Amino acid sequence: MPQAAAATVAQHTRDGSEIPESPQAPGSDFAPLLKAVRGQGLLERRTGWYAAGMAANLVALGVVVTGMVLLGDTWWNVLLALPLAVLWTRTAFFGHDAGHAQITGDRKAGRIVGFVHANLLLGMNEAWWNDKHVRHHANPNHIDKDPDVGVGALVWTQKQAAQREGFARWLTRNQARLFFPMLLLEGIALKIYGFQFLRRQPVRERALSGLLLTCHLALYATLLLTVMSPGKAVVFALVHHALFGLHLGMAFAPNHKGMEMPDPDGDRWGHLQRQVLTSRNVRGAVLTDWLLGGLNYQIEHHLFPSMPRPHLRLAQPLVKAHCASIGMPYAETGLVESYRQALQHMHEVGEPLR
């Protein structure tokens, strides 16, 4: 994940704010907003805040693991799969933020944070995630350029749906009702994607990534098989990864599904239009911020990907006011409504096949 800022260096300022158009160019809608955000110091990193958060997360992980060891070979241990899944999702959020250079401006330090939180603690290849995620940020919801709306288990346009055959066609017809059940498989899928991506990495990076991914699997298996019987260990691993995939998927699902999708043959959108019109914010307080890892401020995150997570809430009034002043829609809804809109879009995509 830490390559995200570097991989798009041509589209970012030195502090990491993404500005593919010159902020001083005549007619740039983004320039005054960028100036206001910088003026309030919201692009300055909060390394201490992140250090405290990561330390607390590691301590919490240690407490859960200790609880597993103390409980021993009992089915009650499966109940700890829930808090472990929640803490794994916090770990993923820290890896995500490291990839956007939110934690530190030191690329090497950011890379280490990504390796530890993604590869070692989660068994998820940070290079795979980074490659995919940086393309998403550059062109969100663009059918030809955003891998998140490419053809996969799910599809996002009726044109994509029309090309489905066999089992995939049935899946598309029912994708809205199957969406949340399919998220239960995401935790395992992330590990598979990570190992598959190794062959695309440079030799030295592949060796390090592969070593850390293998260490994760070895440590995870050793913990479970040392604490409980093989049968209980398998059940725990399946429940744990199912809950992890569900929680992580529910944090990302509300952000763009059902929002504007740029016409590949239409006019090229500017940075502000491209990021705001394709993103949806989720209203909430501190608990929502924590559960969604700050991704509920998706508009602000896309406009300023290197902005530290605790500053996103502070930037929101500036962004909303700026959008209102230029007549640009700003999508914000409750959490349940965000899921309804996303599922409605998936349902409509599959409509011609029913």
Side-chain angles (χ1 to χ4, degrees):
M1 299 180 208
Q3 304 115 297
T8 52
V9 65
Q11 300 181 42
H12 290 70
T13 64
R14 291 181 63 186
D15 55 30
S17 51
E18 192 176 316
I19 43 174
E21 59 191 43
S22 170
Q24 305 304 326
S28 170
D29 290 330
F30 184 57
L33 177 59
L34 175 62
K35 182 178 180 181
V37 166
R38 276 181 173 158
Q40 293 198 15
L42 298 180
L43 294 176
E44 297 177 5
R45 293 179 177 85
R46 295 283 300 277
T47 305
W49 184 91
Y50 275 107
M54 289 187 291
N57 189 62
L58 289 173
V59 169
L61 284 169
V63 169
V64 173
V65 170
T66 300
M68 292 171 61
V69 173
L70 293 177
L71 279 175
D73 189 18
T74 170
W75 286 109
W76 289 106
N77 231 326
V78 178
L79 295 177
L80 292 181
L82 176 57
L84 189 60
V86 171
L87 293 172
W88 265 31
T89 306
R90 306 309 103 206
T91 304
F93 291 150
F94 286 122
H96 167 271
D97 292 0
H100 282 295
Q102 295 178 19
I103 299 174
T104 174
D106 185 327
R107 186 182 178 191
K108 183 177 180 180
R111 195 79 194 277
I112 291 173
V113 172
F115 274 131
V116 170
H117 284 77
N119 294 53
L120 184 60
L121 294 179
L122 299 180
M124 185 176 78
N125 193 337
E126 56 90 32
W128 163 77
W129 170 262
N130 206 57
D131 174 78
K132 173 176 174 289
H133 196 58
V134 75
R135 287 184 284 134
H136 159 70
H137 263 266
N139 292 281
N141 267 14
H142 192 292
I143 201 65
D144 293 335
K145 300 178 180 180
D146 182 358
D148 286 357
V149 291
V151 175
L154 305 174
V155 295
W156 310 103
T157 70
Q158 292 187 351
K159 182 177 179 180
Q160 291 175 332
Q163 299 171 1
R164 306 283 263 183
E165 297 179 354
F167 175 72
R169 191 175 180 87
W170 174 86
L171 191 63
T172 299
R173 283 202 304 269
N174 300 281
Q175 64 179 9
R177 63 171 61 96
L178 293 174
F179 177 68
F180 286 113
M182 289 173 68
L183 287 181
L184 298 174
L185 302 175
E186 188 66 15
I188 295 175
L190 291 174
K191 284 180 164 57
I192 296 174
Y193 297 149
F195 275 101
Q196 290 176 336
F197 191 78
L198 286 174
R199 60 177 176 266
R200 295 180 52 186
Q201 296 179 246
V203 176
R204 291 182 60 184
E205 182 178 290
R206 181 192 311 159
L208 178 58
S209 295
L211 175 62
L212 292 173
L213 293 176
T214 303
C215 284
H216 165 82
L217 291 180
L219 292 170
Y220 187 76
T222 299
L223 170 65
L224 297 191
L225 293 174
T226 300
V227 169
M228 56 192 89
S229 66
K232 294 186 182 71
V234 170
V235 172
F236 182 98
L238 291 175
V239 172
H240 173 215
H241 281 78
L243 293 174
F244 170 57
L246 180 64
H247 185 8
L248 194 61
M250 290 180 70
F252 282 91
N255 301 338
H256 303 281
K257 309 312 179 192
M259 295 303 297
E260 290 281 350
M261 302 185 73
D263 183 354
D265 301 318
D267 295 335
R268 178 175 172 79
W269 289 1
H271 177 63
L272 190 73
Q273 186 180 22
R274 183 165 62 249
Q275 305 298 345
V276 174
L277 297 184
T278 61
S279 303
R280 176 193 295 110
N281 275 21
V282 175
R283 285 191 294 269
V286 176
L287 181 60
T288 304
D289 292 0
W290 188 79
L291 286 173
L292 300 186
L295 296 178
N296 45 314
Y297 301 104
Q298 190 66 194
I299 294 174
E300 288 71 29
H301 171 56
H302 263 257
L303 287 172
F304 307 99
S306 71
M307 181 178 288
R309 194 191 312 173
H311 289 175
L312 294 172
R313 173 183 284 272
L314 303 178
Q316 186 183 37
L318 298 176
V319 176
K320 290 180 71 172
H322 181 71
C323 288
S325 71
I326 62 174
M328 181 172 291
Y330 180 100
E332 185 178 29
T333 186
L335 183 61
V336 174
E337 175 62 16
S338 72
Y339 293 134
R340 190 201 68 78
Q341 292 181 14
L343 293 175
Q344 179 65 30
H345 173 72
M346 285 185 272
H347 182 75
E348 292 173 353
V349 167
E351 182 66 36
L353 303 186
R354 288 191 290 277

